[in-house]
Amino acid sequence: MNAAADGYGSSCIMSMSLDGCGKEQLKTQFVTREGVYKLLTLATYSRPNRIGYNVQTNTSVRVSFVGYSSSDTNGNNDRMCFNIGRELYVFYYKGTKKGADLTKPIDKKLYKGISPTCHDFNSTAITEDSLPLIVGFSTGLLQLIDPVRKDVSVLFNEEKIIDKTKVTCVKWVPNSKHLFLASHASGQLYLYNETFTCGTTTPSYQQVKSGEGYTVHTCKTKSTRNPMYRWLIGGDYNSINEFAFSPCSLYLAVVSQDGFLRVFHYDKMELIGMARSYFGGFLCVCWSPDSRYIVVGGEDDLVTVYSISENRVIARGQGHHSWVSVVAFDPYTSTPPSMEPCLPGYYRLGSVGHDTQMCLWDITDDILHHVTLVSPLPVTSKQNGVVNNVKHNANANNVQKQTQDPMRLIGTTACPRFDQCPRLEPLICKKIAHDRLTALIFREDCFVAACQNGYVYTWARPGTITSLNAHLVSDPNSIMSSLDLPSLNPTSAV
């Protein structure tokens, strides 16, 4: 596909030249219509010695949060987990209230020969005495740990008989104390029950569901074992880069290296919608707070907005100069539109990328209701928008090949051309790190961003800086000077 034909190539080159070849100074504050966002330099989390990690690693720094209400925590109700290289840390997160005390982690682990790649707290099962945390690794291993109890360590896929490739994303199933999903670079998605074993022999599967671009299998065993289900999405070794459950818990959005967003009704295991990237793979995905919209980002340097109800791409955002690594809605700034047409609203979106920049976007009512003439998706065997099941004895390989011709979707509702849908411009686009950004999470009083060399930044929202925490923004050079190119730190490698 010729990107320049739609005007994207030339505009991207122009944007890169205006960027000053990446020499822009790091920002410690920026202004939006809400006010001034400020970097809390003394609330930056990292390794205890504050030495950046060797950025040659391919393992991205990920951040997970969980909150727990208790009268005995002295206000430290939130816990944060992040991985750096072969290390995993869990801290009390004090946000904008207090500085980061890196000398007192709740738990820390150093792994030999493997690196943590993703993790997720079980917010349903957390108690005062238990903090279940599932961790995925570069070798395909999964581990359930408890940073509070310390004595909990349950391994899944330990012998690599289920999958030998990297775990790319792991999430607890909403409202479940025991079920979690794990995706791999092999293109497989597995459902585990933390109370079941994985067995000692290679699983034998039987197909239970199939549709356009996916098949679902269950284990053929006399006794229940893990994995409970295996999804193959988009074909063998088409890496699933990320997945996300909708806030309403009904749907599952999956993005893959083949450039597809696929949306499933999770319990029914049915495909209800899809979209495709302009070019390259999709790397990240998120849901709007009301489960109406999905935003994805990836190797086309764009953010793409998809409507569930309309089953189409409704807008693209252009502002990054490299791959978009994380997208996230800001539920505290967004005002979702009412069901009444006379009450417009908007969604605030954030994105970070390999260009070390953070962009903020407003998806306004005029974008949400913009009408364009785009061809519908090519006809498939669907009824009521859901792909029909394929019989258990059908050839799964043939099923997978049905959507592997991406060119047939160009100019359709799944992948409109650049002149066929609205183009978003970022509200702000600021360089906030020296290395590629890998995490973005919006919280009530701040947002948290992480970069590849192992620093987790806290940015205070407008109006949250008072006389009690003003010292957290003092002397920005004290930490920012240590965040210069990690190659200058000869001891940065583990």
Side-chain angles (χ1 to χ4, degrees):
M1 166 118 195
N2 184 1
D6 282 327
Y8 173 72
S10 58
S11 62
C12 183
I13 294 174
M14 181 180 297
S15 297
M16 293 178 67
S17 63
L18 292 175
D19 186 55
C21 299
K23 295 181 180 180
E24 183 183 358
Q25 294 296 316
L26 295 187
K27 302 299 182 183
T28 58
Q29 65 180 41
F30 59 84
V31 181
T32 67
R33 64 169 172 268
E34 303 95 55
V36 181
Y37 287 79
K38 294 185 178 182
L39 174 66
L40 302 184
T41 56
L42 299 184
T44 297
Y45 289 77
S46 66
R47 305 165 83 191
N49 58 12
R50 288 201 182 278
I51 297 178
Y53 189 74
N54 183 359
V55 296
Q56 298 302 317
T57 178
N58 291 323
T59 303
S60 296
V61 175
R62 303 296 187 189
V63 181
S64 299
F65 281 97
V66 70
Y68 177 69
S69 299
S70 172
S71 59
D72 299 327
T73 55
N74 297 321
N76 296 330
N77 295 331
D78 296 328
R79 282 78 162 178
M80 175 179 66
C81 174
F82 58 90
N83 59 288
I84 305 175
R86 293 185 285 115
E87 301 165 61
L88 186 76
Y89 293 93
V90 179
F91 283 94
Y92 285 113
Y93 182 72
K94 302 173 184 179
T96 62
K97 300 176 182 178
K98 296 182 180 179
D101 185 355
L102 302 184
T103 65
K104 298 179 180 179
I106 301 174
D107 197 11
K108 59 180 179 180
K109 295 184 181 297
L110 173 62
Y111 296 93
K112 296 182 179 180
I114 59 175
S115 299
T117 56
C118 49
H119 35 81
D120 190 39
F121 288 106
N122 191 336
S123 59
T124 302
I126 184 176
T127 66
E128 186 175 345
D129 302 318
S130 180
L131 190 63
L133 176 67
I134 190 69
V135 184
F137 292 87
S138 54
T139 60
L141 176 71
L142 291 142
Q143 183 185 28
L144 175 64
I145 61 176
D146 192 319
V148 175
R149 294 174 55 185
K150 308 287 187 182
D151 58 343
V152 175
S153 178
V154 182
L155 300 179
F156 303 90
N157 193 33
E158 183 178 9
E159 304 298 329
K160 305 179 187 177
I161 59 176
I162 296 174
D163 201 301
K164 298 180 180 179
T165 63
K166 178 179 70 174
V167 182
T168 56
C169 186
V170 63
K171 299 285 184 183
W172 292 94
V173 175
N175 306 314
S176 173
K177 290 186 177 182
H178 304 296
L179 301 179
F180 63 90
L181 274 179
S183 62
H184 289 254
S186 63
Q188 318 273 353
L189 183 70
Y190 300 95
L191 176 66
Y192 288 85
N193 186 318
E194 55 104 352
T195 65
F196 297 164
T197 62
C198 291
T200 57
T201 59
T202 302
S204 177
Y205 297 102
Q206 63 181 9
Q207 184 173 308
V208 296
K209 199 88 169 183
S210 189
E212 186 177 5
Y214 78 101
T215 56
V216 184
H217 303 81
T218 187
C219 278
K220 293 173 59 178
T221 57
K222 295 181 180 179
S223 59
T224 306
R225 59 165 287 182
N226 284 318
M228 298 177 63
Y229 289 100
R230 180 190 71 170
W231 299 55
L232 175 60
I233 299 177
D236 288 326
Y237 293 95
N238 168 53
S239 177
I240 297 174
N241 291 325
E242 191 175 30
F243 63 86
F245 285 99
S246 62
C248 68
S249 304
L250 291 178
Y251 308 114
L252 179 69
V254 182
V255 290
S256 305
Q257 194 58 37
D258 61 0
F260 277 90
L261 159 70
R262 295 177 175 89
V263 188
F264 298 93
H265 189 291
Y266 177 69
D267 287 337
K268 295 180 180 179
M269 300 180 180
E270 291 177 342
L271 182 71
I272 63 171
M274 69 168 65
R276 198 195 181 281
S277 67
Y278 201 58
F279 52 83
F282 277 141
L283 304 178
C284 51
V285 59
C286 69
W287 288 84
S288 65
D290 55 9
S291 301
R292 294 184 186 180
Y293 300 96
I294 299 172
V295 171
V296 292
E299 295 175 355
D300 55 9
D301 304 351
L302 306 171
V303 296
T304 300
V305 186
Y306 177 85
S307 169
I308 290 294
S309 61
E310 300 178 59
N311 193 16
R312 70 181 181 97
V313 171
I314 61 171
R316 290 194 183 95
Q318 183 177 356
H320 285 283
H321 306 150
S322 187
W323 295 356
V324 179
S325 52
V326 184
V327 286
F329 278 92
D330 182 355
Y332 304 99
T333 306
S334 301
T335 56
S338 169
M339 298 303 293
E340 299 294 332
C342 60
L343 299 175
Y346 75 96
Y347 298 88
R348 171 64 56 81
L349 177 74
S351 60
V352 295
H354 289 206
D355 57 1
T356 72
Q357 297 197 93
M358 174 184 179
C359 294
L360 292 179
W361 319 76
D362 274 353
I363 307 173
T364 55
D365 194 64
D366 59 328
I367 295 294
L368 299 176
H369 296 97
H370 183 87
V371 178
T372 55
L373 298 178
V374 184
S375 301
L377 284 173
V379 176
T380 58
S381 54
K382 291 185 179 182
Q383 293 180 351
N384 298 326
V386 177
V387 179
N388 289 337
N389 298 341
V390 176
K391 301 299 183 182
H392 292 184
N393 59 356
N395 187 324
N397 290 330
N398 290 337
V399 174
Q400 301 305 328
K401 292 178 181 178
Q402 291 180 19
T403 58
Q404 297 313 302
D405 179 13
M407 295 304 295
R408 73 186 181 94
L409 298 180
I410 301 297
T412 70
T413 54
C415 187
R417 298 184 185 278
F418 240 64
D419 58 354
Q420 293 178 318
C421 71
R423 187 181 306 185
L424 300 175
E425 298 291 338
L427 295 176
I428 62 100
C429 198
K430 301 296 183 182
K431 180 181 177 67
I432 63 172
H434 280 301
D435 203 0
R436 70 179 194 238
L437 291 157
T438 59
L440 176 64
I441 300 171
F442 288 99
R443 297 171 57 82
E444 186 173 8
D445 60 346
C446 63
F447 71 82
V448 174
C451 68
Q452 182 61 18
N453 55 358
Y455 296 96
V456 181
Y457 309 109
T458 298
W459 288 76
R461 289 185 185 271
T464 59
I465 302 299
T466 67
S467 58
L468 298 177
N469 61 0
H471 65 284
L472 298 179
V473 301
S474 64
D475 192 15
N477 292 326
S478 63
I479 288 184
M480 300 309 292
S481 62
S482 69
L483 307 188
D484 285 332
L485 298 177
S487 58
L488 300 180
N489 296 327
T491 61
S492 61
V494 174

